[in-house]
Amino acid sequence: MTQYTQRPMRFPENIFQAICEQLLPTACIACQGFQKSSLCDRCLNQLRDEGLLNYQCCYQCGITLQVSEIAQQRCMQCQTFQPCFDETYCLDRYDGLLQTPLHELKYQKRIAFANALGRTWNLIFSREFEDISADYLLPVPLSIEKLAQRGFNQSWEIAKRIQCGVHIQKSPYVLQRHHYAERQAGSTLSNRHLAIQGMFYLEERYIDQLANKTVIVFDDVMTSGATLNEIARVLKDNGVSRVINWVVLRAARPI
């Protein structure tokens, strides 16, 4: 079997990182307050109180549930149009505390924010997902053209810093994406679903390894869910049994 597991940080590197955390100044990624943690206690508590963590959300797509949907634990959209993915876990709302840090990473190319967002994810979810039953963690890919333009895949930069079970293999190579010149931002839901069809594929040499496996797909932002749904469809068409989404920011449902 081809091995492509993300290698754990070596012991000397752990020591160096710990020393840097104690000696070097830093700032909270949300409020910019001077302290030694990536996210200060006040902002961490705010994230827990005001973010999606404090709301009842659809277990399938992660959207905040309306009162009439709580009993089913699924939104009407998922009940009416069954997505290809099975579960979704989101860290924060799109207009929440972590929007600016994510934009700093994505558009200002401040890679240090990937480390901070990964640490924030670990603070919230590491214990909850420590024993999660999954086999692979794959980031939503960029096309070769987009990757060359941006210089990095923001989803992979965060995902590779996330703590998860040692049995889960991380790879940025399994999922691939064709290039599409037009932006999806501002498109209608139906146009997003149409535009994304056929956009993703799997590297052939990995397909057999995914048969009957559970795959976590990591994305920085989930808006309509069209991208993650198409990826889940491709994965399941190639033998994957279960698809779970891990998302940093979840946009509100369309009005």
Side-chain angles (χ1 to χ4, degrees):
M1 176 184 293
T2 303
Q3 295 296 319
Y4 50 86
T5 307
Q6 174 70 22
R7 293 185 301 171
M9 186 178 292
R10 291 174 298 178
F11 185 65
E13 292 172 333
N14 279 325
I15 294 176
F16 177 75
Q17 181 172 307
I19 293 172
C20 288
E21 288 174 355
Q22 294 297 321
L23 298 181
L24 299 180
T26 187
C28 172
I29 59 172
C31 71
Q32 300 302 308
F34 176 80
Q35 40 82 65
K36 67 178 183 179
S37 300
S38 299
L39 195 71
C40 69
D41 290 342
R42 183 176 66 85
C43 289
L44 181 61
N45 290 333
Q46 183 180 340
L47 175 62
R48 287 172 170 154
D49 292 340
E50 300 178 9
L52 287 175
L53 309 169
N54 203 36
Y55 291 86
Q56 296 193 52
C57 298
C58 174
Y59 76 83
Q60 195 157 21
C61 77
I63 204 74
T64 304
L65 292 173
Q66 297 178 349
V67 174
S68 60
E69 301 167 334
I70 291 176
Q72 297 292 328
Q73 295 185 305
R74 294 171 75 206
C75 67
M76 284 304 301
Q77 179 74 16
C78 288
Q79 293 181 51
T80 305
F81 304 101
Q82 176 74 13
C84 294
F85 47 75
D86 299 281
E87 297 177 66
T88 299
Y89 298 90
C90 306
L91 185 58
D92 195 13
R93 297 173 291 109
Y94 183 74
D95 58 350
L97 198 66
L98 300 180
Q99 183 187 50
T100 297
L102 182 61
H103 284 185
E104 288 290 321
L105 166 65
K106 194 170 180 178
Y107 302 117
Q108 302 302 320
K109 302 184 178 183
R110 299 182 66 182
I111 299 295
F113 279 82
N115 188 55
L117 288 166
R119 286 172 180 244
T120 301
W121 181 282
N122 293 333
L123 281 171
I124 301 296
F125 284 138
S126 61
R127 288 188 178 180
E128 182 173 350
F129 294 149
E130 186 175 7
D131 298 320
I132 191 170
S133 179
D135 303 285
Y136 295 91
L137 174 57
L138 310 177
V140 171
L142 299 180
S143 67
I144 293 175
E145 292 85 353
K146 186 68 174 179
L147 186 60
Q149 178 186 9
R150 180 167 291 167
F152 60 93
N153 179 345
Q154 70 280 355
S155 293
W156 173 240
E157 291 299 325
I158 301 171
K160 68 184 181 182
R161 292 167 166 87
I162 283 179
Q163 296 172 1
C164 55
V166 294
H167 60 285
I168 298 177
Q169 297 188 63
K170 299 180 182 180
S171 175
Y173 307 116
V174 178
L175 276 170
Q176 299 293 327
R177 180 175 187 155
H178 298 294
H179 188 57
Y180 183 61
E182 296 183 25
R183 291 171 59 89
Q184 286 199 66
S187 299
T188 64
L189 179 59
S190 59
N191 285 342
R192 283 174 176 264
H193 281 276
L194 287 172
I196 208 69
Q197 287 181 4
M199 195 61 60
F200 300 96
Y201 63 98
L202 301 180
E203 281 285 356
E204 188 172 351
R205 67 182 182 271
Y206 300 126
I207 292 176
D208 289 344
Q209 300 174 33
L210 297 175
N212 301 314
K213 302 298 186 181
T214 294
V215 172
I216 299 168
V217 179
F218 190 90
D219 203 2
D220 60 329
V221 177
M222 184 176 183
T223 306
S224 68
T227 294
L228 289 166
N229 190 63
E230 178 65 9
I231 288 175
R233 183 193 67 77
V234 170
L235 288 169
K236 289 189 172 180
D237 283 352
N238 284 277
V240 170
S241 62
R242 188 171 181 80
V243 178
I244 301 169
N245 299 324
W246 285 2
V247 179
V248 179
L249 302 182
R250 180 62 162 104
R253 70 176 72 208
I255 299 175

